Amino acid sequence: MNETELEKINNDLLQKLKNICDELNPYFDSVQIFTTKHEGNKTGTTEMNWGVGNWFARYGQIKQWVDKNSQDEGE
């Protein structure tokens, strides 16, 4: 797969993330999705994320998740 094909695939996947967030948004105050996919040795890992709704709620929830899971790792 060349770089142009990979870019098109990733743009399509990002659009799917946006569509899913938009679909869930009416039911929640905020939606945030993080994704990764390994592209192979040449490219490595591609990271994507998208969110909608209350930015402060998304930030707070993510921070809470990181803090909790960081503590759990130490136990």
Side-chain angles (χ1 to χ4, degrees):
M1 177 179 332
N2 67 37
E3 209 170 299
T4 303
E5 293 169 328
L6 181 59
E7 184 175 353
K8 181 184 181 332
I9 289 169
N10 285 342
N11 286 340
D12 291 344
L13 289 172
L14 181 59
Q15 188 58 54
K16 288 180 188 285
L17 284 180
K18 291 176 180 183
N19 292 344
I20 290 167
C21 285
D22 289 342
E23 184 178 330
L24 292 172
N25 190 40
Y27 305 102
F28 300 96
D29 292 332
S30 64
V31 178
Q32 183 73 47
I33 300 174
F34 293 93
T35 64
T36 58
K37 66 184 180 103
H38 188 67
E39 303 292 356
N41 293 335
K42 180 180 174 191
T43 308
T45 301
T46 297
E47 166 279 326
M48 292 181 205
N49 70 81
W50 194 258
V52 295
N54 183 327
W55 185 90
F56 291 102
R58 289 187 281 144
Y59 175 82
Q61 183 179 27
I62 293 161
K63 184 174 182 333
Q64 182 182 36
W65 183 87
V66 168
D67 290 348
K68 181 184 182 322
N69 284 281
S70 294
Q71 291 171 1
D72 290 347
E73 290 296 317
E75 294 176 2

